[in-house]
Amino acid sequence: MNNSILLKEVSPENLTVIAGWMSDPELQKYTDKPIRPHNLITISSLIEESENKLWEIVLNSDNKELIGYTCLEAIDKTNKRARFGTLVFAGEGNNRDGFSYLEAVLLKLKYAFETLQLHRIEAPCFENHPISIPMLLAFGFKKEAIMREYMYKNGNYQTLALYSILKEEYNDLKEGGQYKMSKLINRFVKIKKSKIR
Amino acid sequence: MSKSSIFFRAFNTDDYILINKWRNDHEFQQYTVGPLRYVSLEMEKAWVYEKMMNNTKDLYWAICLNDGSRRMIGYTSINNIDHLNKKAYFGGIVIGEPDCRDGVSLLEAEIIKLDYAYNQLNLNRIYADTQPSHYSSPSLLLALGFQKEGTMRDYVYKNGKYQDIDLYSILREDYNQMSKEGVYELRNLIKRFIKFSKLNKKK
C-alpha cells in the first residue's frame, strides 16, 4: 500500500516555511522545546549537524504539497540511540486527521531502526498529552520515567514523561503485523478511550 | 556548620596531569555513565583549558584539601546549565587520590555543589543518572534528597552490553525542605548515606 505522505530531505525553498512553523507559539505549545522565533540561521544546526535529522513531510501526490516537518534528535552513534523529535503538521485541516500522523511516526521508526540501525528511541512528552501518549503507546513505546519540572513552558514548570522503544520490541511488533495501519488505528483509538497513561 | 575539610577552586592549566592519570584508571571509569576513552596528555591539556575558559554552560572545579597543603584530590562538575528551564545535570565526581576515598570528601563536595546550584545559580531542578548497580551512587543520591524518576532501558553501551541507567532528580522545594531539616550537615548526611547503603544492599 502506498503511503499518503512522504518524508523528504528538506528542500531549500521550504526551509523558510518550516522555520516559521518552528516559531509558531500555537504549534509549539506542547513540544519539549522553548518557544522562540527561528530563522534559517537558527535552524541550520538541525540540518548541518550529524546528530540531527530533519525531514519535511509532503503529500504523496503530484504536487508534493508541504504539510509538516519532523526530526530525529541527539542521534548517538556510540550508544545507538536517538530522541524522537517534534512532529508538526501545519497544513490545512484535512491533513490533520491522524492518519498521516501515524504514517509519519512509522516512517521515522523505520528509518531509525532499519536505516540508522539504532537500538533505542526515546520520546519525552508532556505528562498528559492527549495525542502523543496514546500514539507512543500504540507503537509499543513504554513509559520509563517521570521527569519532574523538566522545563518551564506556558507559565509553569512542566513535568514530562519519558517513553522509549527498543529495537527488539520494534522488530517483534513489526513481524507480528502490529504496524499495519488498521491495527495501529485500532490500538490508538482503544488506548485513547481507555485513558491509559 | 564546621569548616569543610575540602574546598573548590577553578581548574589551573597544569591540573591536566593529575586528571589524566585518574581518567586513565579504567577500573574506576567502568562505573561511569560516559563511554570509556583513551585520552592523551595533549587532549587532556586542551580539555582542561577549554573548561577553564568556558564556565557558563558547564562548571568544573578542582577539589582540594583544606589542610594547608591545598593538594588537589579530585574534580567535579555541574553540566548543561540551562537558565531558561532552571535546571542542570549533577556531574560526576572523581576523588582520584586513593587516601581520600573515605567518603567524607565526597559527601562534602556534594554539599558544596548542591549549595552552589541552588543558592548561587538559582536553579530549580538538578538531575543525575547512574548505573543501577553502582556501588555507591544510588545511595549517595538518595541520601542527598534526590528521588528516582525512572529507569532508562538500554541507555548506554558499556562493557560489552547495553545497560540500564537510572534517572534521579532533586527540586528546589525538596532541597529547601532538606536544608531546613539539617540533612546537609555532614554528620546527618553520613548517617543517611549509611542508611541508604544498607537498604540498597538488601535489595
Side-chain angles (χ1 to χ4, degrees), chain A residues 89-143:
Chain A
F89 283 96
E92 295 302 311
N94 57 357
N95 302 320
R96 289 170 129 174
D97 56 2
F99 197 80
S100 351
Y101 187 78
L102 291 170
E103 282 183 335
V105 171
L106 190 55
L107 287 170
K108 261 171 85 173
L109 280 180
K110 189 167 185 228
Y111 184 86
F113 286 123
E114 298 178 28
T115 305
L116 293 180
Q117 294 284 326
L118 297 177
H119 178 75
R120 166 192 162 91
I121 304 294
E122 61 189 38
C125 177
F126 269 55
E127 216 180 359
N128 295 312
H129 197 292
I131 307 293
S132 292
I133 291 169
M135 185 278 289
L136 291 167
L137 292 172
F139 276 90
F141 279 75
K142 291 179 179 156
K143 185 175 178 176

Side-chain angles (χ1 to χ4, degrees), chain B residues 20-46:
Chain B
N20 190 252
K21 185 179 125 195
W22 298 330
R23 198 191 297 279
N24 286 323
D25 178 352
H26 290 172
E27 172 67 30
F28 186 73
Q29 297 287 345
Q30 265 192 56
Y31 300 106
T32 62
V33 175
L36 187 67
R37 290 194 196 286
Y38 293 86
V39 177
S40 68
L41 267 179
E42 282 305 307
M43 278 162 78
E44 201 74 75
K45 198 174 182 177

